[in-house]
């Protein structure tokens, strides 16, 4: 075989560097889109002022956490594992099982977003444009309805977009992020010029010890939205300048989202009113949008669907890279750590495609499992933030292109303690928000445990293969020695 042919068929072992910091920032626009999906429930449960303050507190915590990630991301600029990789590196000498625990804990909530938001997209399309499409196709125990069919189509489209390559993916991200700006602008600016805007009528429902408990539980729920700007760090290997672009993307996302998360509960909440929001917390903003701009329900639904597509695009891009890195590091099945000739983690994308189709078709309402993913997600942040302290202690001379001031070391300890409190209180009490109960908690623990079991199996197989290879090499050396003596 010629050298030229070998070079043409050789598969790359690293992701291509084609992104800039504003590409990562566009990916982080997923978070304001996710805010729109959960805003009504938070205002209903906390009151308008309670929701605004708590969203801001959650975002401030996320700001401290993600500032720490700027140093960690530049310490490992070639890793696509994101915060789960930072956690694994920091804890591997003390607790190597942290690698699969955080890998699965981080990957699961991102990886199953296609099924969740695909189902929501299907429901929106049916409600707005095809209300009479109420047919059901029964395939044994499986029921295929119109919304599920739309969800499956959406999953397929998202898969194909990511298969084509990062530039096409980013083009789609920019389009959907641009469309998302329409409702964000309307929700922030238009109420200020309306006579119906009454922010002083908003309430505060966080009183006493019960209020504190409710606040901590809601911080557990909010973490999925506010902390999600760490997605910028996952793409560190793909930025043209991994150090500068990663830092700029994270900082820009932090500052932008901090403003959005505090202002919208006050502007939109003050305009719609808590009573109207409580009547329909999931879709109250559709009516608000229509009244603010006049008869634009179709436009609002299209903007909402665009924001959901943005979430799904970012989720599949982020989760596929994390799964690829887990395979490459042999934290899970090594076959997943392979790129195709164009530098795309196709095998990881294939796994996500199958998983999301199965979840959507069989469960049809996977929201409980997705929210349950908060357990692993916050756990991953805990190990990553505490890992900052451990890496400063264990590797004081490591190369750190970005070296944060020394006060970030005790800050990482404080943040780790706060994350531990949010994790324990939130995971055992999120039923008070209506997002699930102990059954969902058990499912989350089972999935995390499964990830550790797969890791143990892979590690044992790796050691066995290394032992066989070593024995083979030893036998070869002996044979060569005997041959030399014979000669």
């Amino acid at each position: 075989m010629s050298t030229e042919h070998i070079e043409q068929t050789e598969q790359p072992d690293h992701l291509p560097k084609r992104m800039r910091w504003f590409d990562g920032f566009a990916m982080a626009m997923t978070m304001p889109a996710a805010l729109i999906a959960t805003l009504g429930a938070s205002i209903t449960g906390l009151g308008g002022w309670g929701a605004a303050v708590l969203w801001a507190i959650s975002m401030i915590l996320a700001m401290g956490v993600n500032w720490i990630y700027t140093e960690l991301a530049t310490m490992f600029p070639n890793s696509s594992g994101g915060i789960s990789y930072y956690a694994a590196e920091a804890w591997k000498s003390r607790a190597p099982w942290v690698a699969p625990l955080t890998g699965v804990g981080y990957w699961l909530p991102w990886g199953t977003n296609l099924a969740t938001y695909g189902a929501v997209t299907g429901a929106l399309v049916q409600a707005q444009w095809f209300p009479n499409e109420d047919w059901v196709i029964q395939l044994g125990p499986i029921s295929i309805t119109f919304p599920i069919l739309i969800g499956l189509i959406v999953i397929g489209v998202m898969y194909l977009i990511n298969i084509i390559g990062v530039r096409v993916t980013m083009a789609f991200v920019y389009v959907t992020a641009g469309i998302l700006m329409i409702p964000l602008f309307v929700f922030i600016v238009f109420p200020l010029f309306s006579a119906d805007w009454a922010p002083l009528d908003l309430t505060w429902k966080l009183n006493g010890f019960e209020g504190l408990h409710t606040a901590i539980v809601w911080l557990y729920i909010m973490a999925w939205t506010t902390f999600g700007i760490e997605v910028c760090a996952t793409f560190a290997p793909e930025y043209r300048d991994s150090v500068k672009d990663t830092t700029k993307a994270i900082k820009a996302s932090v500052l932008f989202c901090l403003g959005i998360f505090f202002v919208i509960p006050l502007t939109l909440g003050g305009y719609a009113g808590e009573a109207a929001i409580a009547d329909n917390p999931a879709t109250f903003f559709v009516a608000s949008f229509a009244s603010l701009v006049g008869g634009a329900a179709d436009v609002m639904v299209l903007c909402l669907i665009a924001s959901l597509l943005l979430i799904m695009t970012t989720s599949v891009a982020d989760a596929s890279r994390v799964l690829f890195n887990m395979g490459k590091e042999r934290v899970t099945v090594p076959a997943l750590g392979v790129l195709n000739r164009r530098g795309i983690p196709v095998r990881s994308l294939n796994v996500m495609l199958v998983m999301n189709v199965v979840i959507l078709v069989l469960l049809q309402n996977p929201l409980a499992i997705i929210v349950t993913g908060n357990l692993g997600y916050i756990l991953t942040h805990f190990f990553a933030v505490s890992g900052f302290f451990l890496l400063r202690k264990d590797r004081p001379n490591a190369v750190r292109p970005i070296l944060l001031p020394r006060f970030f070391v005790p800050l990482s300890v404080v943040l780790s303690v706060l994350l531990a409190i949010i994790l324990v209180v939130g995971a055992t009490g999120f039923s008070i928000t209506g997002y699930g109960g102990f059954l969902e908690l058990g499912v989350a623990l089972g999935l995390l445990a499964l990830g550790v079991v797969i890791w143990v199996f892979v590690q044992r197989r790796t050691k066995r293969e290394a032992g066989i290879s070593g024995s083979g090499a030893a036998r070869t050396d002996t044979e060569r020695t005997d041959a030399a003596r014979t000669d």
Side-chain angles (χ1 to χ4, degrees):
M1 182 180 294
S2 66
T3 303
E4 181 180 356
H5 182 70
I6 292 175
E7 291 176 348
Q8 290 176 348
T9 58
E10 184 179 0
Q11 292 177 322
D13 60 355
H14 62 277
L15 295 162
K17 302 177 76 67
R18 299 171 181 167
M19 297 176 63
R20 299 302 299 268
W21 72 267
F22 40 81
D23 294 324
F25 174 72
M27 287 284 192
M29 289 300 296
T30 297
M31 301 308 112
L35 171 66
I36 291 176
T38 56
L39 178 63
S42 66
I43 293 176
T44 300
L46 306 170
W49 282 103
V53 171
L54 207 61
W55 277 111
I57 291 174
S58 183
M59 194 63 233
I60 290 172
L61 291 175
M63 179 169 62
V65 166
N66 280 277
W67 228 269
I68 286 175
Y69 294 156
T70 61
E71 178 174 310
L72 297 181
T74 55
M75 282 185 68
F76 310 105
N78 296 320
S79 170
S80 59
I83 64 173
S84 61
Y85 183 82
Y86 313 152
E89 279 291 309
W91 284 88
K92 66 181 181 181
S93 62
R94 294 174 173 82
W97 45 265
V98 167
L101 193 67
T102 56
V104 174
Y106 180 80
W107 173 76
L108 183 65
W110 280 107
T112 52
N113 272 347
L114 283 178
T116 301
Y117 295 108
V120 175
T121 301
L124 285 172
V125 170
Q126 181 185 43
Q128 187 65 28
W129 295 294
F130 301 98
N132 297 323
E133 297 292 338
D134 54 359
W135 48 262
V136 178
I137 299 176
Q138 200 70 36
L139 302 175
I142 299 174
S143 300
I144 303 296
T145 62
F146 181 79
I148 297 303
L149 178 60
I150 295 297
L152 292 173
I153 293 173
V154 169
I155 289 175
V157 171
M158 294 297 102
Y159 169 82
L160 292 175
I161 288 175
N162 279 270
I163 282 289
I164 294 173
V166 68
R167 291 320 308 173
V168 174
T169 301
M170 288 311 309
F172 189 80
V173 166
Y174 277 115
V175 170
T176 52
I179 296 174
L180 174 62
M181 291 296 99
I182 297 175
L184 287 181
F185 180 80
V186 171
F187 292 158
I188 292 174
V189 177
F190 280 36
L192 302 179
F193 299 95
S194 172
D196 294 328
W197 184 49
L200 296 181
D201 291 343
L202 297 174
T203 63
W204 175 277
K205 298 182 180 179
L206 300 174
N207 300 309
F209 179 80
E210 182 178 352
L212 177 62
H213 180 238
T214 300
I216 295 175
V217 173
W218 265 103
L219 286 174
Y220 175 89
I221 301 298
M222 291 175 174
W224 166 244
T225 302
T226 56
F227 283 50
I229 52 179
E230 46 73 21
V231 68
C232 299
T234 303
F235 296 92
E238 297 176 74
Y239 294 127
R240 294 182 183 179
D241 188 327
S242 294
V243 174
K244 293 182 180 179
D245 286 336
T246 301
T247 304
K248 288 181 180 179
I250 290 178
K251 290 181 177 180
S253 301
V254 164
L255 296 176
F256 178 79
C257 291
L258 177 60
I260 292 293
F261 289 167
F262 177 73
V263 171
I264 284 187
L266 298 180
T267 55
L268 184 58
Y271 176 79
E274 291 183 7
I277 295 173
D279 289 338
N280 202 345
T283 58
F284 77 94
F285 44 81
V286 175
S288 297
F289 188 93
S291 63
L292 283 169
V293 300
D298 287 347
V299 175
M300 182 57 207
V301 172
L302 287 174
C303 292
L304 179 58
I305 290 175
S307 69
L308 296 177
L309 295 177
L310 175 60
I311 295 175
M312 287 185 277
T313 304
T314 301
S315 297
V316 70
D318 181 71
S320 63
R321 282 152 177 79
V322 171
L323 189 58
F324 157 74
N325 195 77
M326 290 172 65
K328 190 172 80 170
E329 298 293 329
R330 302 185 80 86
V331 175
T332 189
V333 181
L336 296 175
V338 176
L339 302 172
N340 69 2
R341 298 177 188 176
R342 293 183 290 115
I344 300 171
V346 175
R347 294 182 181 180
S348 297
L349 288 170
N350 291 341
V351 170
M352 293 183 59
L353 174 66
V354 173
M355 177 184 66
N356 280 279
V357 168
V358 170
I359 288 177
L360 180 59
V361 171
L362 294 182
L363 302 181
Q364 303 204 357
N365 184 18
L367 184 60
I369 293 180
I370 300 303
V371 174
T372 302
N374 268 356
L375 176 69
Y377 187 64
I378 298 177
L379 189 66
T380 303
H381 279 286
F382 167 78
F383 281 115
V385 174
S386 59
F388 174 84
F389 170 80
L390 295 179
L391 288 170
R392 279 289 186 96
K393 178 182 177 182
D394 297 342
R395 308 182 194 180
N397 299 320
V399 176
R400 289 177 169 85
I402 294 178
L403 183 62
L404 295 175
R406 295 187 64 179
F407 73 84
F408 273 90
V409 176
L411 177 62
S412 69
V413 177
V414 173
L415 289 173
S416 298
V417 172
L418 291 175
L419 286 171
I421 294 173
I422 293 172
L423 178 66
V424 174
V425 175
T428 57
F430 58 70
S431 59
I432 67 174
T433 67
Y435 276 86
F438 286 101
L439 175 61
E440 288 74 18
L441 178 61
V443 172
L445 292 173
L447 292 171
L448 293 174
L450 178 61
V452 175
V453 170
I454 293 175
W455 170 76
V456 171
F457 175 79
V458 171
Q459 292 300 304
R460 288 182 177 178
R461 182 175 180 180
T462 300
K463 291 179 180 179
R464 186 166 61 249
E465 291 174 351
I468 293 174
S469 176
S471 300
R475 286 194 299 269
T476 300
D477 292 338
T478 301
E479 292 170 355
R480 289 176 179 173
T481 301
D482 291 342
R485 288 175 180 172
T486 302
D487 293 341

